[in-house]
Amino acid sequence: MRRGYLLGKRDSPYPTRNTKPDRDDRRLFTDEHDAPPTVSAPPYTVKELREWGKGNIRLSDDPSMSAKVNLHDLGLFQRLVFRNIRVGTVQVSVLLDSAVLSLLPTRFSSPPTPLENAIEFRSAGANGMGVFATRDIRPAALIHVEHPTTVTQNTLVLNFGMTRVEVYRELFQRVPEQTLPSLLDLCNSQPDEMAIEEAILRSNAIAIKLPSPAVPGSLAMGHNAIFLRTSRLNHSCSPNAFHRFDPQTFALTVHTICPIAKGEEIVHSYIDLTSATTREARRSLLRDLCHFECTCNRCALSDPAAVLQSDERRQKIHDMTRETVLAPLEAWYRGHGRADLKTVIAFHLAAVEEMRIEGLYHYQYQLHISQLAVCYAAIEDIRSFRLWMGRARDIAVRNLAADEAADMLRFIVYPETFSAWGWARKNTSTVSPPPTETSTTCLVPRMINSKA
Ligand SMILES: C[S@@+](CC[C@H](N)C(=O)[O-])C[C@H]1O[C@@H](n2cnc3c(N)ncnc32)[C@H](O)[C@@H]1O
């Protein structure tokens, strides 16, 4: 492993090129008559495909993605082109399917403005560089905005006469000269047999969603991008931030999930935490995909009993469904107040605390806090209602659900306008209407009702 590896000028495969074109539509996979000889045609059986794929595709080792790809279709439809896209003052080196390129906006909108001077980039000790809060930051704050330096498809069907390494090298060579040193400096994990470009892509690329053409296999292509600054964010299995890419602005935005104190490291997750529940599963995924041993605060637990407890908590969170989260309040509602609302509140508070300990703010977290807001509205506890409705609003802001957030703000200011206000009083003194779809829906605010 080499950290901070920067190629010396003499060894550099990147010659100084004063005449580098900023736009080049060289087609790699062209018309039949001028196409380079096919290395090997994609075979049909699953077993043969797997073997064939070993030599012909790679970048993402994500097994779920490879499994979904119909290589034959991809081979037929891929029309890859290198191009330098200009986004504002930034030049992005891309290798994309021409159909994807044609779906990108001709003019990109301006991205939103992040909080000023909220973060700094500095040493994170043994994990190299990291990103830190320079002040207390509230949840759902936008803390960083950045355009990519490179973008490429996850799955490349290399039957156009270039090796994978040559493809990546070409992509890097198109990066503007003044940016290249910063890109090469991202090499913090380079196995001996791996080319520097691939090592950088593997340990820094972030999955992004671009518009997909309606051709077979296009959805499975997926894309990834390198961001010089965002790449400095370390991974955590209990992240306090997340990112989102918007093709309209061609920018990545980083948002906080929970309150972050001044001096705290800002971390996001490199993997899907909903499926890998145990520490071993997460570590092994990160080892395979990113070549490092995770030392985040959840993985660094030294007491085996604490690890087991964390694994069990995560499994429990993973097993929660929409139905199991909504059931207790629904039962209280249907029972016309006979069940104890305090027990319902305790159930949700315990669940929210478990999710906070694990740093997992899944979809179910939104449901739990909405249920708490409804419970406190039902018993007319104005302080607690405002607290939980405020948290629900943070999530609406985070999800860019502006209308929902505005409604929630109105409920915070005028709690009695919320449909569940005083349910407990009304429920015990009068006979409630039989629960209809509408009344049940009231138990969950609209935003949270529509699963994103
Ligand atoms: C995308 S970079 C993050 C920024 C990096 N620290 C740097 O100095 O540029 C990913 C690399 O950071 C390190 N890293 C990130 N998160 C880590 C974690 N939770 N545990 C151990 N190493 C980590 C690993 O070396 C990994 O290959």
Side-chain angles (χ1 to χ4, degrees):
M1 299 280 208
R2 282 177 275 178
R3 177 169 291 284
Y5 180 69
L6 182 57
L7 287 173
K9 246 215 156 24
R10 248 185 312 144
D11 307 322
S12 172
Y14 302 99
T16 308
R17 298 199 304 176
N18 297 327
T19 52
K20 185 159 56 176
D22 79 347
R23 184 185 160 105
D24 182 349
D25 290 357
R26 182 152 70 107
R27 295 169 73 182
L28 293 176
F29 191 88
T30 54
D31 308 320
E32 258 171 54
H33 58 274
D34 65 350
T38 306
V39 174
S40 67
Y44 287 96
T45 71
V46 172
K47 199 166 161 234
E48 284 171 342
L49 271 178
R50 221 172 267 145
E51 272 310 303
W52 180 89
K54 277 186 198 158
N56 289 279
I57 62 160
R58 208 47 114 235
L59 191 70
S60 165
D61 267 347
D62 180 345
S64 60
M65 167 162 298
S66 300
K68 278 185 227 149
V69 174
N70 180 332
L71 296 174
H72 189 63
D73 285 345
L74 280 179
L76 284 176
F77 287 96
Q78 235 178 16
R79 297 286 186 275
L80 291 169
V81 290
F82 282 116
R83 185 169 303 175
N84 279 26
I85 298 182
R86 196 170 281 282
V87 190
T89 56
V90 175
Q91 232 188 79
V92 189
S93 167
V94 307
L95 172 59
L96 293 176
D97 191 290
S98 56
V100 173
L101 269 172
S102 68
L103 292 174
L104 290 178
T106 44
R107 257 184 92 96
F108 296 103
S109 331
S110 301
T113 311
L115 269 185
E116 224 173 298
N117 301 325
I119 57 173
E120 64 180 347
F121 297 76
R122 62 172 161 87
S123 167
N127 289 351
M129 291 281 285
V131 184
F132 294 83
T134 51
R135 52 158 136 148
D136 293 347
I137 310 178
R138 65 182 307 279
L142 171 61
I143 52 173
H144 183 61
V145 176
E146 187 173 9
H147 295 301
T149 297
T150 66
V151 178
T152 177
Q153 214 170 264
N154 273 338
T155 309
L156 306 173
V157 180
L158 299 179
N159 54 357
F160 45 70
M162 269 173 114
T163 65
R164 196 170 68 233
V165 171
E166 285 166 349
V167 168
Y168 297 158
R169 190 150 288 169
E170 182 66 29
L171 187 72
F172 275 44
Q173 282 182 342
R174 286 159 187 279
V175 168
E177 255 160 60
Q178 65 277 20
T179 314
L180 193 58
S182 311
L183 178 62
L184 295 176
D185 197 38
L186 292 180
C187 184
N188 39 39
S189 168
Q190 185 182 12
D192 286 338
E193 73 286 2
M194 198 180 275
I196 186 172
E197 296 83 359
E198 182 162 6
I200 291 174
L201 279 163
R202 278 178 181 272
S203 59
N204 293 283
I206 291 179
I208 61 169
K209 248 200 180 132
L210 294 179
S212 282
V215 294
S218 67
L219 280 176
M221 285 177 193
H223 295 92
N224 67 70
I226 298 223
F227 300 85
L228 298 181
R229 309 279 280 169
T230 310
S231 278
R232 297 302 188 182
L233 281 164
N234 285 314
H235 161 87
S236 173
C237 298
S238 54
N240 54 18
F242 75 100
H243 58 261
R244 165 186 293 135
F245 183 80
D246 179 2
Q248 296 306 315
T249 57
F250 219 65
L252 185 98
T253 49
V254 182
H255 311 255
T256 56
I257 300 176
C258 51
I260 300 180
K262 179 178 175 177
E264 211 178 302
E265 182 168 3
I266 295 168
V267 277
H268 64 163
S269 176
Y270 298 176
I271 55 171
D272 176 12
L273 293 170
T274 52
S275 48
T277 52
T278 65
R279 175 171 82 168
E280 193 32 53
R282 300 191 306 272
R283 278 190 149 174
S284 127
L285 206 57
L286 288 162
R287 227 178 279 133
D288 290 350
L289 288 177
C290 310
H291 309 287
F292 70 86
E293 193 70 17
C294 185
T295 55
C296 78
N297 63 5
R298 297 321 291 162
C299 290
L301 293 170
S302 53
D303 176 8
V307 175
L308 185 65
Q309 195 182 21
S310 166
D311 287 355
E312 285 174 355
R313 235 187 250 122
R314 281 174 182 250
Q315 190 59 48
K316 191 169 148 196
I317 293 168
H318 174 265
D319 293 343
M320 280 264 173
T321 63
R322 178 187 165 86
E323 287 65 40
T324 52
V325 177
L326 300 186
L329 185 56
E330 183 124 3
W332 171 83
Y333 188 87
R334 285 174 191 274
H336 305 298
R338 280 191 296 275
D340 186 359
L341 205 49
K342 282 199 183 119
T343 315
V344 181
I345 291 175
F347 164 75
H348 292 297
L349 286 176
V352 165
E353 178 59 6
E354 293 198 319
M355 295 181 108
R356 190 196 62 77
I357 293 171
E358 293 304 327
L360 292 179
Y361 301 94
H362 295 341
Y363 167 69
Q364 279 75 5
Y365 179 77
Q366 308 177 20
L367 287 180
H368 282 297
I369 66 170
S370 75
Q371 296 292 278
L372 282 164
V374 176
C375 285
Y376 286 118
I379 58 171
E380 295 164 274
D381 177 338
I382 198 160
R383 250 185 92 175
S384 303
F385 169 74
R386 285 187 164 141
L387 174 82
W388 293 102
M389 187 54 89
R391 291 192 180 167
R393 184 174 170 270
D394 282 342
I395 294 175
V397 171
R398 211 172 78 193
N399 291 350
L400 307 178
D403 291 351
E404 307 285 347
D407 282 352
M408 289 175 177
L409 184 60
R410 188 164 46 79
F411 295 143
I412 291 168
V413 178
Y414 305 110
E416 63 287 354
T417 62
F418 186 56
S419 55
W421 194 256
W423 263 0
R425 187 169 30 88
K426 293 172 203 159
N427 228 6
T428 46
S429 57
T430 63
V431 177
S432 295
T436 60
E437 182 49 37
T438 320
S439 60
T440 316
T441 309
C442 288
L443 299 172
V444 187
R446 196 154 35 97
M447 168 204 66
I448 292 157
N449 217 7
S450 56
K451 188 170 173 171

